[in-house]
Each structure stands twice: as C-alpha cells, then as structure tokens.
Amino acid sequence: MENETRQEEIIRVAAKLFKEKGYSAVTMRDLATTMNMKAASLYNHINSKQEILEKIIMRIARKFSVGMTTVKSSNDSCIVKLKKIIALHVEVSSQNIYGMAALNHDWVHLEAQLGPYKKLRSDYENDFKEILKEGIAAGEISPIKPDVMMFSILTTLRSLYLWIPKKEVIHLEELTNNLSEILINGIIKEN
Amino acid sequence: MENETRQEEIIRVAAKLFKEKGYSAVTMRDLATTMNMKAASLYNHINSKQEILEKIIMRIARKFSVGMTTVKSSNDSCIVKLKKIIALHVEVSSQNIYGMAALNHDWVHLEAQLGPYKKLRSDYENDFKEILKEGIAAGEISPIKPDVMMFSILTTLRSLYLWIPKKEVIHLEELTNNLSEILINGIIKEN
DNA sequence: CTAATAGACTAACAAGTGTTAGTTTTATGT
DNA sequence: ACATAAAACTAACACTTGTTAGTCTATTAG
C-alpha cells in the first residue's frame, strides 16, 4: 500500500482523527501536524476540509449501496440475504474502521453531499425492510414489527466499527457467524 | 414542568443542540440565540460550556449505574434481569432523547469528568457481561461468545435515542416487549 | 544542465471561539 | 416606594478557525 496518493494519505489520516474527536473538533492544523506538514500545504492536495469529509463518507456509503443491490438481486432466501448483509457490514466495517465513525457521526456536517447521502441511506433502509417483510410473508421470520427488527439489527451492524478494533484477533468469518447466530436466532438457549 | 431553573433550561436546550450538531460544532452564541439571549448572559447561570456537557452526560450515566445496581441485586433469573435492563434503557432513553446523543457521541469531549465517566461505563459493561455469563452457566442462554452478545444487545439499546423519536406514538411498554422478543429470541420463526 | 512541476513553506486574512468585566435592566420582598 | 438581588446587556479580550497568496525547494523530464 505504498503507491498511495498523498491525497489518499491525507484522507486516511483525517478519517482517523475524525473518529477520535469528530469532524468539527479536528482542525486543519491538527491534521497537518499529524501529517508532519503545515496546514497551508494540505491545500496542494485537497480543496477544503469539507471535501475530505465528503470523500470519506460517500465512498463507503456507495459500497453499502452496491452491496445491497447485489444481495437484493439474488435468488436467496430472506435469511440467507440477511446473512449476506451481515457479512457485508463486517467486511466494509473492518476495512474502514475510521471512515465508519465519520459515516455514523459526522454525516450531519455534510453540506453539498448531505442530500445525496440521505438518499443512499434511506434507500438502503427501505431495501433492508423489504427483505424482512418478504421473510415475514414467506413464514421465515417472526411476524414482529419489521421496523423494530430493522432498527435492532441495523444499529448493531452500524456500530461494528466501535467494536471490531477491540478484538485481539479479528477473525472476520467467525465474527460474521456469531453475529448471524445472535441476530437471527437470539441469545436464548433452545431445548 | 414550569418550575424549571434557568440553568436547567439552558442544559436542556444545549442537549438538543448537541444532538443536532455535536458538542464541538455548537457555539455558545448558537445556544444563546436559541435561548433568546446573548452569549455572555449564559454565564450568569453556568460556569462553562464544558460544565454543561458534564451535567448532561454524568446525570444520565449515573441513572444507568443505579439501574444496573438494582437489577444486579435482585433474585431474578438472567433472562428476567436482561428484560429489566432493556426496560431500563427504553425508560432512560425516552426520557433523555437529547442527552443520550451527547452520552453516546460527545463523551470524548469530557475533560475533568472523562475518567469518572469511563469508569461508570466499564463497570456497567462488566456487570452486563457477568449477567450473560451467569445465564450461560445456568443453561438459560446459548453458549456463544458473551462479548459478541453484549456488543450486539448493548449497541442496539444505546442507539434507542436515534429511533424512539421517529415512532409516531411512543408506546414504551410495547417497544420494550418487542425489543425483548427480538434481542432474546431473535427474528427467526420457530416451528 | 536546464526547465518545469509538484509540493513544501511563511505570512496573513477575516471571521468566529469561549469567556470576562462592568453596566443596566427587571423582578422581588419588605 | 425602595433597596436588593437576579439576570439581562454591551464591549472587549486573546486565541483559534479555514483558507489564500506568494515564495522557495526538491525532484523529474528532456
């Protein structure tokens, strides 16, 4: 990963700082210091602080959209679709630990891209809910409020970035399996 | 609720602004404007911006600690204890929608109270995990990693503040029951 | 070797930051 | 009606903010 553009490096480092303190609390001088340069020099590579935030967030948001489209268009059962979505979150989150924090917390500070971001997110949530409703209609899933179900599952998946780095060894497949088990079957022991 | 101190009013309004934009992005002038006063006048009622954040966060954090202590010292089964914790989160979250955002996002900006806050939180998580482990030992709960279980349940509960206000009618008992069902039994239909 | 370009630098800007000091207004209790 | 206290105000402070302009330097291409 050493053919990384200087711009990409700035964005990567910015994402890390944004995770630690939030977009608003990170100054261009903070970012510059971490990059071992002066604040003004950053502008040889990026146009504005806002642009950094946009790139961090929209890049990841689009990955989720693409993933959801793939899952939606498959012929799997609803439960399998759900498992694939869980795997999608584990994958994207583990590869973008810092960026996920910005996506979850700092999207409110988007300006020009706020609308597009919200569109992607609400489309995603609608697709998610649709899968749950299909599952209920097909008798695969309990007929509880799909809203509450989606909220419960999706907030867990959206918070993965907080938690993945705490695991000593990140065994992604095992994590995906454990999460699927818990989110789908619950925690209660069946006899 | 009209015998509310002016200080309490400031804190309540601040919590709402903190939820919308985050602690760092809210200026004392923003807060003053919302309160229909000038920034300097705020200081007749509070000592600093930091103090506002402390009061918002620590107040709620202590409610959770007290609640957990009560649950812990009961003689209920682990499943019942879990249900009581779920009810605790629904109750505290619904009564402190704005404050919960600060607790979840802006605790990083605590200064003097950062240590005490982290202590309360890690104690809470340890107690939570202990309940799960007891449940596993007693055969009530599936022997999956208690870490993953706790993460899954707790992040859902911690995100309630994002979601409760979206419900048209907030029927708290029904929400508590639905959440218990989903978090404990999962979403799959049993035959 | 020279010219060109990328990318660092210094200096500065206009606006915004939390907060303080001192003053005036408003409400309260006798 | 008047003294007192609570709570608003204006003005200002020292500092920080994102960003721009202009310059110097090191690497690269011909």
Side-chain angles (χ1 to χ4, degrees):
Chain A
M1 201 191 283
E2 200 40 69
N3 48 359
E4 185 186 39
T5 305
R6 199 92 167 106
Q7 185 191 78
E8 285 166 354
E9 194 184 350
I10 291 172
I11 292 172
R12 178 172 52 81
V13 170
K16 183 167 185 177
L17 295 183
F18 291 169
K19 188 197 172 192
E20 286 160 9
K21 311 205 297 173
Y23 175 74
S24 300
V26 174
T27 71
M28 295 304 275
R29 285 165 181 84
D30 288 339
L31 178 52
T33 302
T34 311
M35 292 286 300
N36 287 313
M37 63 204 298
K38 293 296 156 70
S41 306
L42 294 168
Y43 290 82
N44 284 319
H45 306 280
I46 51 103
N47 293 312
S48 66
K49 189 187 179 189
Q50 175 70 199
E51 186 196 53
I52 298 177
L53 185 68
E54 288 175 358
K55 295 211 171 175
I56 294 172
I57 292 182
M58 297 306 287
R59 194 174 286 177
I60 300 179
R62 277 188 288 266
K63 281 187 194 169
F64 279 112
S65 291
V66 170
M68 178 60 88
T69 304
T70 306
V71 170
K72 234 189 355 177
S73 63
S74 75
N75 290 323
D76 300 312
S77 72
C78 295
I79 291 291
V80 171
K81 280 181 182 170
L82 276 181
K83 286 183 181 174
K84 284 187 175 178
I85 290 173
I86 292 169
L88 172 67
H89 278 263
V90 171
E91 187 193 339
V92 175
S93 297
S94 65
Q95 284 169 4
N96 303 273
I97 293 286
Y98 303 128
M100 287 302 298
L103 187 127
N104 277 286
H105 289 57
D106 291 324
W107 63 267
V108 287
H109 297 115
L110 284 174
E111 293 164 14
Q113 293 298 313
L114 179 60
Y117 167 77
K118 283 167 120 173
K119 175 81 163 58
L120 287 182
R121 192 182 55 168
S122 81
D123 286 352
Y124 188 88
E125 290 180 359
N126 285 336
D127 288 339
F128 198 119
K129 210 179 296 177
E130 210 49 51
I131 292 175
L132 289 176
K133 283 181 182 166
E134 284 171 27
I136 293 173
E140 293 181 61
I141 292 177
S142 301
I144 312 175
K145 300 261 170 96
D147 280 337
V148 185
M149 267 190 222
M150 180 182 76
F151 159 74
S152 174
I153 297 175
L154 204 43
T155 55
T156 294
L157 296 178
R158 279 179 174 156
S159 304
L160 272 170
Y161 75 96
L162 282 173
W163 190 71
I164 288 180
K166 287 189 187 162
K167 301 213 59 161
E168 306 80 41
V169 181
I170 314 155
H171 202 220
L172 296 183
E173 203 183 323
E174 189 191 336
L175 176 59
T176 305
N177 290 338
N178 284 337
L179 273 175
S180 295
E181 176 70 20
I182 291 169
L183 293 175
I184 294 172
N185 297 315
I187 64 167
I188 203 159
K189 187 158 186 178
E190 2 186 8
N191 294 311
Chain B
M1 202 191 283
E2 201 39 69
N3 47 0
E4 185 186 37
T5 304
R6 199 93 168 106
Q7 185 190 78
E8 285 166 354
E9 195 185 351
I10 290 172
I11 292 172
R12 179 172 52 81
V13 170
K16 184 167 184 176
L17 295 183
F18 290 169
K19 189 197 171 192
E20 286 161 8
K21 309 204 301 172
Y23 175 74
S24 300
V26 174
T27 71
M28 296 305 275
R29 285 164 183 86
D30 289 339
L31 178 52
T33 303
T34 312
M35 292 287 298
N36 287 313
M37 64 203 298
K38 293 297 156 68
S41 306
L42 294 168
Y43 290 83
N44 285 319
H45 306 280
I46 50 104
N47 293 312
S48 67
K49 188 187 180 188
Q50 175 70 201
E51 185 197 52
I52 299 176
L53 185 67
E54 289 175 358
K55 295 211 170 173
I56 294 173
I57 292 182
M58 296 306 287
R59 194 175 286 176
I60 301 179
R62 277 188 288 265
K63 281 187 193 169
F64 279 111
S65 291
V66 170
M68 177 60 86
T69 304
T70 306
V71 170
K72 234 188 356 176
S73 64
S74 74
N75 290 322
D76 300 312
S77 72
C78 295
I79 292 291
V80 171
K81 282 181 180 170
L82 276 182
K83 285 182 181 173
K84 284 187 173 177
I85 290 174
I86 292 169
L88 172 68
H89 277 264
V90 170
E91 188 193 337
V92 175
S93 296
S94 65
Q95 284 168 5
N96 303 272
I97 293 287
Y98 303 129
M100 286 301 298
L103 186 127
N104 277 286
H105 290 57
D106 291 324
W107 63 267
V108 287
H109 297 115
L110 284 174
E111 293 164 13
Q113 293 297 313
L114 179 59
Y117 166 76
K118 283 166 121 174
K119 175 81 163 57
L120 287 181
R121 192 182 55 167
S122 81
D123 286 352
Y124 188 88
E125 290 179 358
N126 285 335
D127 288 340
F128 197 119
K129 210 178 296 178
E130 210 50 49
I131 292 175
L132 289 175
K133 284 181 183 167
E134 284 171 27
I136 293 174
E140 294 180 59
I141 292 176
S142 301
I144 311 174
K145 300 261 170 95
D147 280 338
V148 185
M149 268 190 222
M150 181 181 77
F151 160 74
S152 174
I153 298 175
L154 204 44
T155 54
T156 294
L157 297 178
R158 280 179 173 155
S159 304
L160 272 169
Y161 75 97
L162 282 172
W163 191 70
I164 288 181
K166 287 190 185 162
K167 300 214 63 164
E168 306 80 42
V169 182
I170 313 156
H171 202 219
L172 296 183
E173 202 183 323
E174 189 191 335
L175 177 58
T176 305
N177 290 338
N178 284 337
L179 272 176
S180 294
E181 175 69 20
I182 291 169
L183 293 176
I184 294 172
N185 297 315
I187 63 168
I188 204 159
K189 187 160 187 176
E190 2 188 6
N191 294 311

